[in-house]
Amino acid sequence: MERILEAGERVLAEHGYEGASTSRIATTAGLSPGSLYQYFPHKDAIVLSVLERYSDQLVSGVTAQMTGQFEQPAPVIVRTTLSTLLDGLDVEPPFLRAAIVDGPRLDDGRTLRAFEDRIGELVLAYLTTRREELRPDISLPAAAWMLVRTVEHLTVRYLLDRPPIPRDHFLAELTQMTLNYLRAAD
């Protein structure tokens, strides 16, 4: 099963969702299509399993980065967390498109929402520990929801569009935008 998932990931990275097929995945895995069907009934089941695994790895990376770092100054933890997310999302564009566009279409967005919710829980926990430093009028659940989706969208667009903005500059701007949203006015 692991060979099939690894092959599915490689095929998605090279060919995207539209170019992926059970035959191509089976060949990449070194299996016959019949062997593949013992584990997965169709291409979409493989794609969803690959995307769920990718989502789990991404959440684990962000969790590992944030865990035990809550005492760091906000600019440090925000930037390093954003950098970890950017690194995790920086995969082949056909794979990223499959994760962002095709995956949600296949499972009504459940995998993407689960990813966003898990990251949102981390952000909410962090914001809760920093409550006294934040705008007094801010709703922490609303802020976590908005931050996760804003950062996700901008990061994905940055990686897919590849604008002429150096990575460090993008991270600095995204960090500043995030911090400005949360800060109390002086």
Side-chain angles (χ1 to χ4, degrees):
M1 200 158 141
E2 185 64 25
R3 277 185 19 203
I4 296 169
L5 292 176
E6 287 174 7
E9 187 173 324
R10 282 196 306 274
V11 168
L12 284 173
E14 291 175 24
H15 304 282
Y17 175 79
E18 294 301 324
S21 67
T22 53
S23 295
R24 187 172 268 159
I25 294 168
T27 299
T28 302
L31 300 170
S32 69
S35 296
L36 183 140
Y37 288 120
Q38 291 177 342
Y39 299 97
F40 295 96
H42 45 71
K43 173 180 101 168
D44 289 352
I46 298 169
V47 169
L48 285 173
S49 291
V50 166
L51 296 180
E52 286 170 3
R53 185 172 81 161
Y54 171 65
S55 175
D56 289 344
Q57 291 168 347
L58 196 52
V59 169
S60 293
V62 172
T63 301
Q65 176 58 45
M66 287 184 77
T67 302
Q69 300 295 316
F70 282 12
E71 73 283 351
Q72 294 291 325
V76 172
I77 192 168
V78 169
R79 184 178 175 105
T80 56
T81 301
L82 293 176
S83 180
T84 300
L85 181 65
L86 183 62
D87 289 345
L89 288 171
D90 196 4
V91 295
E92 294 298 322
F95 185 89
L96 186 57
R97 276 188 201 89
I100 299 300
V101 176
D102 299 306
R105 186 174 42 80
L106 297 175
D107 72 352
D108 293 325
R110 285 188 301 274
T111 301
L112 182 59
R113 277 193 307 276
F115 165 77
E116 292 167 342
D117 290 347
R118 290 164 63 193
I119 297 295
E121 290 168 7
L122 287 170
V123 171
L124 182 58
Y126 175 72
L127 294 177
T128 300
T129 66
R130 298 296 181 123
R131 183 65 179 122
E132 70 283 351
E133 300 170 26
L134 306 177
R135 292 185 353 234
D137 65 328
I138 200 164
S139 160
L140 297 185
W145 187 93
M146 291 184 66
L147 285 171
V148 167
R149 280 134 188 101
T150 300
V151 166
E152 174 190 29
H153 178 77
L154 288 172
T155 302
V156 167
R157 293 306 334 152
Y158 176 76
L159 293 169
L160 290 177
D161 297 348
R162 302 290 179 179
I165 303 169
R167 182 183 189 279
D168 284 343
H169 185 73
F170 173 77
L171 278 173
E173 292 295 316
L174 189 56
T175 299
Q176 192 63 50
M177 185 180 78
T178 300
L179 293 170
N180 286 344
Y181 170 68
L182 296 170
R183 284 191 183 129
D186 293 330

